[in-house]
Amino acid sequence: MRVDASSETLPLEGFTPWPPNFADRYRRAGYWRGETFGEWLRARAERFGDAIVLVGEKRRLSYRELDTRASRLAAGIFRLGIRPRDRVVVQLPNVVEFFEVCFALFRLGALPVLALPAHRRSEISYFCQFTEAVAYIIADKDGGFDYRALAEEIRAEAETVNHVLVAGEPGPFTALESLYGELAPLPETAPGDVAFFQLSGGSTGVPKLIPRTHDDYLYSVRASAEICALDADSVYLAALPAAHNFTLSSPGSLGVLHAGGRVVLSRRPSPDEAFRWIEEERVTVTAVVPPLCAVWLEAARNNRHDLSSLRVLQVGGSKLGAEVARRVRGTFGCTLQQVFGMAEGLVNYTRFDDPEDVIVETQGRPISPDDEIRVVDDDDRDVEIGQVGHLLTRGPYTIRGYYKADAHNERAFTRDGFYRTGDLVRQAASGHLVVEGRAKDQINRGGEKIAAEEIENHVLAHPAVRDAALVAMPDAFLGERSCVFVVPRDRPVASRDLITFLRARGLAPYKIPDRVELIDDLPKTSVGKVDKKALRRWIADKIAPKGQ
Ligand code: AMP
Ligand code: DBH
């Protein structure tokens, strides 16, 4: 019996489904298998039973235990009154509960909104209000930050949030641990329906939510597990935040679950902690962003840990320099795999049997034969093969629209449904892509994306600021950092004041500008837009090491 018949017939409001002819094609090709996350986990539990699936700091769980605990938690959350399609903002560090919570919500048909641990009041409050979330799920503390204090602020701002559930000491809220109850019948969910929301780095004033369905996400997970040759002996270290699309699905924790392997959850990505886990758990594969890759390479020079189990080091999230890339094999004795992905869908991998030059110099090629790639000029005309252009893509696991964002979707997608990635790439005849730059108004700070307009709006809220523009400046370590140009009203703005002001607005720390430059007026292009190219050039020149 279907308790919630509507989920079978009507798509979630604010979600753009694939057109029926594409959906048919993806089903016929076997990409979309009509399986929900709940069923998928059950099948894994039946197949891999008592094998350990999750290793956290405090406990380890078998496949069967994860399956049972997810069901018991789903029942407990259902008893609180949370129903299919209710949105739940989940902000958890790399702990076992992250997976129990996600699978409990999947089973229930409630929709996790996967926030990152670095998000603060500004982002969380927005996610809660925009999605009308009914609950917010957190850990008590992580990295010296008390999420319960944040939850108090969120409760004051987001009226719909009726429940705050806490992994650990609950303080004034509900202990997650108290909700693992008796198993109970749960509503059925539909595989074509939205399963959860990922977040986009974005390039506009407010963050965008990415609706992913059971069918489309599970396809990307299965196909990624295959490309990465995962099996029951794979041990994956989640060193980056578990909720990030890379860590979750490329092939990430879910890819490893698919294959029957084991996921080790590191609370921090530092070499100290990560290397200890690699040695202790005989980790075979892990994923890092380029700056972290550089830090690990440095640390490996005088490291005491046995890292010989490592077979694959994946690097993605921002462009990896060829110099660093070349050092991976020699230092770790393992294969480098470049991963160029996006939470909106498309993921590219270098393959293990690619020639070394391709592995070092390209960002890989798409997962699926049905990933459609176009590289176009400013007028959407295809460029010659090998030329740089805007990357557009469409396919079996790439969204057709952001959640509840009609006006933005008009710009972010072509009429025929291609997603405008905002990346400038060139494609080799082999299909491999090289990321050459970016057309979107974003800063990629070592893999952490910052939407310029979002930060500019916060800066403009300062009473002494007349105008502001945020641009990227080159950085040897992170690739890019952010610099905000500020036009003061009538008195100078002290950069320390501005930073304090931005912190008080509850922005995630990585979004706080790295540098503030006062300027009399923002330069404009011939059509009257802020000339960010000129600002980028100016700041790059100013900070360039002298004599070069
Ligand atoms: P998001 O849409 O927020 O998930 O961020 C995805 C974006 O990160 C892509 O569109 C690229 O701009 C960037 N990105 C991800 N992986 C890579 C990579 N390997 N090389 C260069 N840029 C990357
Ligand atoms: O940066 C990303 O968003 C990203 C990088 C690598 C991603 O979403 C992915 C792989 O799936």
Side-chain angles (χ1 to χ4, degrees):
M1 184 194 72
R2 293 211 177 248
V3 179
D4 178 26
S6 66
S7 64
E8 227 185 4
T9 48
L10 283 180
L12 179 74
E13 207 183 313
F15 162 63
T16 312
W18 284 260
N21 53 332
F22 281 88
D24 284 348
R25 179 167 130 204
Y26 298 152
R27 274 191 211 100
R28 272 203 310 271
Y31 304 142
W32 295 1
R33 296 214 175 143
E35 189 177 36
T36 62
F37 274 105
E39 293 161 346
W40 177 79
L41 178 64
R42 177 63 41 84
R44 318 259 64 71
E46 281 164 7
R47 188 145 155 221
F48 304 117
D50 294 325
I52 296 296
V53 59
L54 291 172
V55 177
E57 217 163 56
K58 299 203 183 111
R59 56 198 176 101
R60 39 182 76 212
L61 281 189
S62 70
Y63 277 85
R64 216 188 310 279
E65 285 168 323
L66 175 61
D67 181 53
T68 309
R69 284 182 64 82
S71 289
R72 289 175 47 204
L73 183 57
I77 294 177
F78 189 70
R79 274 187 217 105
L80 286 179
I82 295 176
R83 292 294 174 260
R85 295 190 170 186
D86 280 348
R87 272 76 62 197
V88 175
V89 174
V90 176
Q91 187 182 31
L92 288 168
N94 291 4
V95 290
V96 166
E97 286 90 341
F98 171 76
F99 293 91
E100 296 178 344
V101 163
C102 285
F103 281 108
L105 295 172
F106 292 154
R107 277 233 157 110
L108 184 59
L111 309 178
V113 178
L114 296 184
L116 295 173
H119 287 139
R120 292 293 178 261
R121 192 183 76 241
S122 168
E123 293 90 11
I124 301 292
S125 175
Y126 175 76
F127 301 146
C128 288
Q129 294 184 47
F130 183 74
T131 67
E132 300 168 81
V134 298
Y136 175 38
I137 305 186
I138 53 174
D140 47 9
K141 280 185 181 178
D142 183 55
F145 184 77
D146 192 330
Y147 287 89
R148 294 161 302 189
L150 176 56
E152 306 251 21
E153 296 180 299
I154 298 302
R155 279 291 290 263
E157 287 182 10
E159 288 166 6
T160 53
V161 175
N162 288 320
H163 305 279
V164 175
L165 313 180
V166 184
E169 284 298 318
F173 303 116
T174 307
L176 198 61
E177 198 49 50
S178 69
L179 298 176
Y180 294 78
E182 295 292 310
L183 294 176
L186 294 170
E188 282 200 31
T189 47
D193 213 346
V194 175
F196 70 106
F197 295 96
Q198 269 293 4
L199 304 176
S200 161
S203 55
T204 60
V206 288
K208 294 286 177 292
L209 285 108
I210 299 169
R212 302 293 303 254
T213 66
H214 299 263
D215 266 337
D216 92 75
Y217 209 69
L218 279 172
Y219 166 55
S220 79
V221 164
R222 279 195 315 269
S224 294
E226 194 178 323
I227 289 168
C228 299
L230 298 180
D231 61 23
D233 294 327
S234 300
V235 182
Y236 177 82
L237 180 74
L240 300 174
H244 192 284
N245 200 57
F246 188 9
T247 325
L248 194 59
S249 69
S250 301
S253 309
L254 295 181
V256 173
L257 254 87
H258 181 72
R262 179 177 298 193
V263 176
V264 178
L265 297 163
S266 183
R267 294 293 286 261
R268 308 277 147 251
S270 63
D272 282 359
E273 189 165 338
F275 289 4
R276 180 174 56 79
W277 278 123
I278 293 173
E279 174 173 270
E280 279 175 15
E281 298 293 329
R282 307 293 298 155
V283 169
T284 60
V285 48
T286 186
V288 296
V289 288
L292 194 56
C293 180
V295 169
W296 282 22
L297 282 168
E298 206 45 45
R301 282 153 53 120
N302 41 27
N303 135 69
R304 294 166 289 108
H305 294 287
D306 175 7
L307 307 179
S308 62
S309 55
L310 206 56
R311 299 266 168 278
V312 181
L313 180 65
Q314 297 186 298
V315 185
S318 67
K319 173 100 178 223
L320 178 65
E323 297 312 308
V324 177
R326 252 181 255 287
R327 285 164 53 201
V328 169
R329 192 184 292 279
T331 306
F332 290 108
C334 73
T335 306
L336 165 70
Q337 181 174 50
Q338 296 213 41
V339 189
F340 164 38
M342 49 206 78
E344 287 81 355
L346 181 70
V347 179
N348 304 277
Y349 297 99
T350 56
R351 305 305 202 261
F352 299 148
D353 57 1
D354 280 340
E356 188 70 8
D357 279 354
V358 170
I359 290 178
V360 164
E361 283 163 21
T362 82
Q363 280 65 60
R365 61 183 170 85
I367 290 179
S368 177
D370 275 291
D371 279 322
E372 298 173 70
I373 299 289
R374 288 186 62 199
V375 183
V376 302
D377 65 15
D378 290 345
D379 299 316
D380 282 354
R381 285 181 305 230
D382 294 292
V383 301
E384 296 286 321
I385 198 97
Q387 297 299 303
V388 178
H390 303 275
L391 171 64
L392 312 182
T393 186
R394 185 168 79 169
Y397 60 98
T398 296
I399 57 163
R400 292 300 186 117
Y402 292 101
Y403 179 54
K404 292 202 287 187
D406 288 346
H408 180 65
N409 286 339
E410 291 278 317
R411 276 173 282 135
F413 295 83
T414 64
R415 282 178 174 276
D416 53 357
F418 279 81
Y419 167 54
R420 297 182 188 278
T421 65
D423 293 312
L424 296 174
V425 302
R426 73 191 150 80
Q427 188 170 32
S430 61
H432 288 83
L433 296 167
V434 177
V435 180
E436 295 286 359
R438 193 170 56 231
K440 54 191 164 191
D441 198 6
Q442 185 185 77
I443 290 95
N444 189 332
R445 194 178 182 276
E448 293 186 304
K449 315 323 186 275
I450 305 167
E453 191 185 337
E454 182 187 341
I455 310 309
E456 288 158 4
N457 288 341
H458 283 285
V459 175
L460 285 169
H462 191 291
V465 172
R466 182 156 62 81
D467 212 348
L470 190 82
V471 299
M473 56 182 183
D475 182 77
F477 176 55
L478 291 175
E480 295 174 4
R481 286 183 196 263
S482 64
C483 172
V484 66
F485 285 87
V486 172
V487 182
R489 263 184 209 290
D490 35 28
R491 59 184 162 95
V493 188
S495 99
R496 197 171 316 142
D497 284 354
L498 186 65
I499 299 302
T500 308
F501 172 81
L502 292 175
R503 288 221 178 89
R505 288 179 72 84
L507 276 176
Y510 68 87
K511 294 185 185 173
I512 303 284
D514 292 296
R515 186 179 178 114
V516 181
E517 287 285 338
L518 297 187
I519 191 169
D520 290 339
D521 240 327
L522 297 177
K524 299 280 161 55
T525 63
S526 55
V527 293
K529 289 207 321 195
V530 175
D531 190 350
K532 290 203 164 178
K533 221 185 228 172
L535 292 173
R536 279 196 294 268
R537 215 178 311 123
W538 189 87
I539 188 65
D541 282 348
K542 180 163 177 183
I543 62 175
K546 296 286 172 279
Q548 284 190 11

